[in-house]
Amino acid sequence: MKMLPKDLTRDVKSRLNTIKGQVEGIVRMLDDDKDPGQILHQFKAISKALEAAQTLLIDETFRKSLAAKISEAVEACPGNCGQEETIESLRVKFAALTEEELTQKMKEIQAAYQLMIKFKNEK
């Protein structure tokens, strides 16, 4: 996989540094014997921040890569490549894919693309 774009790396690192500060804040709260409800609130904030950083990373890497592969496959398959149904299915489902589905769909489009190339070479 290629390197991450510098702006994405900077954004994710910034978010992680903020989270690091929040974790250090929880440690201080525990040392200062703060209210458990306040500490729990901070844990929830950290969880949401981690999820946002993860989603950013996934969207910027996997989702964009899959979009590019689908686009490439659509252009390479003018309707007679043997993989029309797979490509169209991925194209239609793309917007609603969950994070967990992205890696599997990347494998599917890559396999379809390889079969397309083989199909074209056999003609």
Side-chain angles (χ1 to χ4, degrees):
M1 184 172 267
K2 48 187 164 169
M3 300 288 291
L4 296 173
K6 288 186 186 333
D7 58 335
L8 174 62
T9 301
R10 187 175 37 253
D11 193 7
V12 170
K13 284 174 68 175
S14 174
R15 289 168 186 257
L16 291 174
N17 282 325
T18 298
I19 293 166
K20 179 179 166 183
Q22 289 174 304
V23 169
E24 290 168 353
I26 288 176
V27 170
R28 284 190 303 277
M29 291 173 80
L30 290 167
D31 288 342
D32 295 342
D33 199 29
K34 294 290 183 180
D35 175 51
Q38 291 175 338
I39 295 170
L40 179 60
H41 181 74
Q42 289 304 310
F43 270 109
K44 288 179 181 178
I46 290 170
S47 292
K48 286 183 181 182
L50 274 172
E51 186 176 317
Q54 176 184 337
T55 298
L56 175 66
L57 183 65
I58 288 171
D59 277 351
E60 289 294 318
T61 54
F62 292 112
R63 197 169 298 277
K64 284 187 178 179
S65 293
L66 181 56
K69 280 287 186 195
I70 290 171
S71 179
E72 188 178 316
V74 167
E75 287 181 29
C77 181
N80 61 348
C81 65
Q83 294 300 309
E84 301 85 3
E85 287 181 27
T86 300
I87 295 167
E88 182 61 13
S89 172
L90 288 170
R91 190 189 67 72
V92 169
K93 294 177 183 176
F94 176 76
L97 292 176
T98 65
E99 293 174 5
E100 294 79 23
E101 294 172 312
L102 283 172
T103 53
Q104 178 59 37
K105 298 305 179 188
M106 280 292 291
K107 290 175 187 174
E108 284 180 32
I109 194 68
Q110 187 62 35
Y113 191 75
Q114 294 302 320
L115 288 171
M116 265 181 1
I117 299 299
K118 182 179 177 183
F119 181 80
K120 280 187 175 185
N121 289 337
E122 289 174 357
K123 278 190 159 188

